[in-house]
Amino acid sequence: MSLKNFFAILFVLLLFPLTASAEPETDAPRSPLIIMETSMGTIKIELFDKEAPLSVENFRNYVRQGFYNGLIFHRIIPKFMIQGGGFEPGMKRRTPTQPPVANEATNGLKNKRGTLSMARTGRIHSATSQFFLNVVDNISLDNRGTLPHQFGYAVFAKVVEGMEVADRIVASPATTVSSGAGQFKNVPKQDVVIIKVYEEDVNE
């Protein structure tokens, strides 16, 4: 081999090193999607196990219990969000079966359109079964500090299919409803039922 050819080959190797990274990388296994069948269509949800482990475990446990089956989206606000996970038709409250979960709003995830977050009261660590789905980017709900009104709402999942269903739900006519649980604004006039929520079968 001539010295000229040797340096030519060396130059190519320096530009394109023969390393293992040249091999195609396989995707890391993901958790099963969550399938949410509603009276207005089906929504498929990806959980953020790594970023929001406590919120995801809490939500997944409720899913596996069948807790969400038969509940409704009880609060809808156009250009904001839709909320569910706590009431049956007629605004009858369903009692959570698990203790409140720690607020993971500092996990760096943002309340962007299509994300799901844990609903809570004015207390930071009060989220139980209720969740909401952002239909627009809601930066005001992100973590901005340590006080209750600054701490924000923990994003734990995102919609990967069926966002048009959420858009139909939030566009539903709404009203104010009084029930044994109190008076509630922004309730859909016609029940939007969460028929069934379950984990996808990864073997299909």
Side-chain angles (χ1 to χ4, degrees):
M1 179 185 296
S2 69
L3 187 62
K4 180 179 180 181
N5 287 340
F6 172 79
F7 282 111
I9 294 172
L10 180 62
F11 179 73
V12 170
L13 289 175
L14 289 174
L15 283 179
F16 306 103
L18 299 178
T19 65
S21 61
E23 296 295 325
E25 294 184 4
T26 57
D27 293 334
R30 62 165 176 79
S31 299
L33 296 179
I34 299 297
I35 314 300
M36 181 177 291
E37 297 179 4
T38 81
S39 56
M40 297 188 73
T42 298
I43 300 171
K44 295 185 179 181
I45 299 164
E46 178 183 344
L47 299 175
F48 296 135
D49 289 88
K50 180 180 178 181
E51 296 86 351
L54 301 178
S55 302
V56 166
E57 181 183 20
N58 176 75
F59 183 77
R60 185 180 283 121
N61 286 340
Y62 277 116
V63 169
R64 290 174 176 173
Q65 292 171 16
F67 182 89
Y68 295 123
N69 300 347
L71 297 185
I72 59 172
F73 280 100
H74 64 274
R75 187 176 178 225
I76 57 172
I77 303 179
K79 298 182 181 180
F80 188 38
M81 60 90 222
I82 61 177
Q83 184 173 339
F87 291 86
E88 301 173 8
M91 292 304 291
K92 178 182 177 183
R93 192 183 302 274
R94 184 172 291 182
T95 304
T97 59
Q98 300 179 155
V101 63
N103 192 329
E104 296 175 296
T106 56
N107 61 13
L109 299 178
K110 305 300 182 182
N111 281 272
K112 294 183 177 181
R113 171 175 163 81
T115 58
L116 281 79
S117 296
M118 297 303 301
R120 63 175 176 86
T121 68
R123 293 182 291 110
I124 292 175
H125 305 294
S126 58
T128 54
S129 64
Q130 292 192 40
F131 61 89
F132 62 89
L133 195 166
N134 293 292
V135 297
V136 297
D137 292 351
N138 288 315
I139 60 173
S140 64
L141 303 182
D142 296 336
N143 175 260
R144 305 185 311 278
T146 58
L147 297 177
H149 69 281
Q150 299 172 328
F151 203 87
Y153 297 80
V155 174
F156 68 92
K158 70 176 180 180
V159 173
V160 294
E161 187 177 321
M163 195 60 200
E164 71 281 0
V165 176
D167 290 334
R168 286 200 296 269
I169 293 172
V170 80
S172 301
T175 187
T176 298
V177 172
S178 295
S179 73
Q183 188 176 67
F184 302 90
K185 297 180 179 180
N186 308 116
V187 179
K189 288 184 177 180
Q190 183 173 348
D191 288 337
V192 180
V193 181
I194 300 173
I195 300 170
K196 187 178 182 181
V197 186
Y198 55 93
E199 294 176 280
E200 69 173 343
D201 186 350
V202 295
N203 296 316
E204 288 185 350

